């Protein structure tokens, strides 16, 4: 154990240790360190193609690292690890999908997650409780293909939380949702981490809907990363240094807007020394 979690005397839920991932000649990120404590909410930001989804896939054991290691609650991850819940990037389900809403949630319940559904005693009650928890009880028996994007997304959250994971990985779970559904889905995830200590790693393009819940931000760009509180990371001078080009952070009407972000592949040579992080950097963070 090391870092802030150790200082607080708790076992980290997630430990990423010097992780690097190279695709062809391109280094997506390198020497990435991240330690998450129970109940912590970390947002992952960065331009399209910077490797955010790949990071989640690495944590899930679906993507081999070029270097470094990843542990969940102190041990290596394996495919289908029940300690991890995963909300993948949203794709609308086809209208003719024959599953009912409750079937989709049931796929997350132990024993059915990665194989054929094998209902066990108590599963129905668990599925009912999950449907209730995500506000989907009233459409539990409807075909999923006929549900709206927001209704489907609540079910995906229910499925990911079914086995009460220690770590919840969310890949842009709010995209394509209206503001009311963004808030509803955020509230469900936030309640889970407050009530059950689930650590949440949340990939997003827009920090605004979750800004008031986030403990730290991991910002990935051009093979580099920054780690710190929102106040530390979301600053014009900090992001300009990360990108190596002027990037502006504006605050308007309680919202943050980041302007001038270059494409993920058009900046930074990977063998460049990363710029120094300001004095307000969280331990373990660098840029
Ligand atoms: N299976 C794969 N084989 C080769 N390259 C891949 C594969 N999957 C992703 N990539 C590439 O790796 C890079 C990172 O992809 P990734 O999906 O992790 O980015 P991202 O930050 O999640 O992007 P977005 O915000 O658009 O979802 C991209 O350049 C992508 O084209």
């Amino acid at each position: 154990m090391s870092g802030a979690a150790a200082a607080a005397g708790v076992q980290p839920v997630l430990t990423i240790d010097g992780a690097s991932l190279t695709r062809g000649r391109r280094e997506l990120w390198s020497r990435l360190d991240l330690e998450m404590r129970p109940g912590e909410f970390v947002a992952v930001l960065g331009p399209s193609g910077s490797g955010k989804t790949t990071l989640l896939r690495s944590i899930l054991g679906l993507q081999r690292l070029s270097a470094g290691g990843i542990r969940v609650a102190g041990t290596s991850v394996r495919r289908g690890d029940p300690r991890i819940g995963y909300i993948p990037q949203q794709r609308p389900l086809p209208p003719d999908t024959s599953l009912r809403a409750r079937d989709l949630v049931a796929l997350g319940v132990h024993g059915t997650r990665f194989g054929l559904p094998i209902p066990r005693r108590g599963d129905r009650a668990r599925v009912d409780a999950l449907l209730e928890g995500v506000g989907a009880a009233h459409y539990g028996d409807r075909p999923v293909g006929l549900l709206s994007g927001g209704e489907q997304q609540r079910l995906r959250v229910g499925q990911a939380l079914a086995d009460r994971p220690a770590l919840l990985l969310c890949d842009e779970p709010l995209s394509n949702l209206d503001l009311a559904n963004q808030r509803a889905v955020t509230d469900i995830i936030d309640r889970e981490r407050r009530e059950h200590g689930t650590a949440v790693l949340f990939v997003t393009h827009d920090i605004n809907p979750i800004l008031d819940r986030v403990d730290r931000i991991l910002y990935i760009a051009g093979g580099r990363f920054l780690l710190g509180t929102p106040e530390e990371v979301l600053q014009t001078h900090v992001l300009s240094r990360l990108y190596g080009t002027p990037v502006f952070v504006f605050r308007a009407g309680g919202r943050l807007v980041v302007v001038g972000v270059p494409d993920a592949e058009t900046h930074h040579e990977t063998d460049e020394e990363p710029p120094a992080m300001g004095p307000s950097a969280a331990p373990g963070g660098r840029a």
Side-chain angles (χ1 to χ4, degrees):
M1 237 197 282
S2 62
V10 291
Q11 162 97 287
V13 176
L14 174 68
T15 309
I16 301 179
D17 208 358
S20 302
L21 203 137
T22 305
R23 280 202 192 285
R25 293 183 54 232
R26 184 170 161 231
E27 196 165 54
L28 284 185
W29 23 264
S30 67
R31 290 172 287 153
L32 177 64
D33 296 322
L34 172 66
E35 199 178 79
M36 287 181 69
R37 61 179 186 274
E40 192 175 16
F41 197 135
V42 175
V44 184
L45 293 174
S48 202
S50 57
K52 303 180 298 296
T53 295
T54 306
L55 175 62
L56 298 191
R57 288 178 53 78
S58 304
I59 296 168
L60 286 162
L62 301 174
Q63 177 71 56
R64 188 188 290 270
L65 297 172
S66 321
I70 296 179
R71 296 189 304 282
V72 171
T75 59
S76 302
V77 287
R78 55 182 169 78
R79 282 175 178 233
D81 200 313
R83 299 172 300 173
I84 309 176
Y86 179 41
I87 306 173
Q89 258 181 18
Q90 191 180 356
R91 284 189 201 86
L93 294 160
D96 59 353
T97 307
S98 59
L99 290 176
R100 293 171 304 163
R102 63 168 49 257
D103 301 327
L104 195 68
V105 171
L107 286 172
V109 176
H110 55 254
T112 67
R113 188 194 298 252
F114 298 101
L116 293 170
I118 309 166
R120 299 182 191 181
R121 196 193 301 270
D123 278 3
R124 187 177 172 89
R126 176 74 184 132
V127 170
D128 284 342
L130 286 161
L131 286 168
E132 184 74 38
V134 297
H138 60 290
Y139 57 84
D141 291 314
R142 288 178 55 196
V144 284
L146 301 182
L147 299 174
S148 73
E151 288 167 337
Q152 290 182 4
Q153 194 62 343
R154 287 170 191 246
L155 299 174
R156 289 195 183 89
V157 177
Q159 187 190 81
L161 297 177
D163 276 352
R164 189 136 286 151
L167 173 65
L168 180 64
L169 306 178
C170 311
D171 200 348
E172 300 186 40
L174 308 182
S175 59
N176 303 321
L177 298 185
D178 63 19
L179 283 179
N181 275 301
Q182 285 186 359
R183 177 156 289 278
V185 168
T186 304
D187 284 346
I188 295 163
I189 292 170
D190 194 43
R191 188 183 65 215
E192 190 72 12
R193 67 126 179 180
R194 279 185 286 104
E195 292 181 357
H196 302 289
T198 313
V200 178
L201 191 61
F202 193 109
V203 171
T204 182
H205 276 279
D206 183 6
I207 190 68
N208 287 293
I210 55 168
L211 193 55
D212 58 345
R213 325 290 171 107
V214 164
D215 296 307
R216 286 188 295 164
I217 290 175
L218 173 65
Y219 207 118
I220 305 175
R224 306 172 176 194
F225 70 92
L226 272 170
L227 182 62
T229 64
E231 296 73 27
E232 289 166 345
V233 170
L234 298 173
Q235 302 266 1
T236 292
H237 70 281
V238 174
L239 291 188
S240 296
R241 215 162 51 196
L242 173 69
Y243 281 103
T245 188
V247 170
F248 301 94
V249 182
F250 295 109
R251 288 170 170 77
R255 289 177 64 82
L256 281 169
V257 185
V258 180
V259 177
V261 169
D263 183 76
E265 302 202 46
T266 58
H267 59 116
H268 290 328
E269 296 300 320
T270 53
D271 56 358
E272 234 176 279
E273 266 307 296
M277 181 79 178
S280 58
R286 69 185 174 84

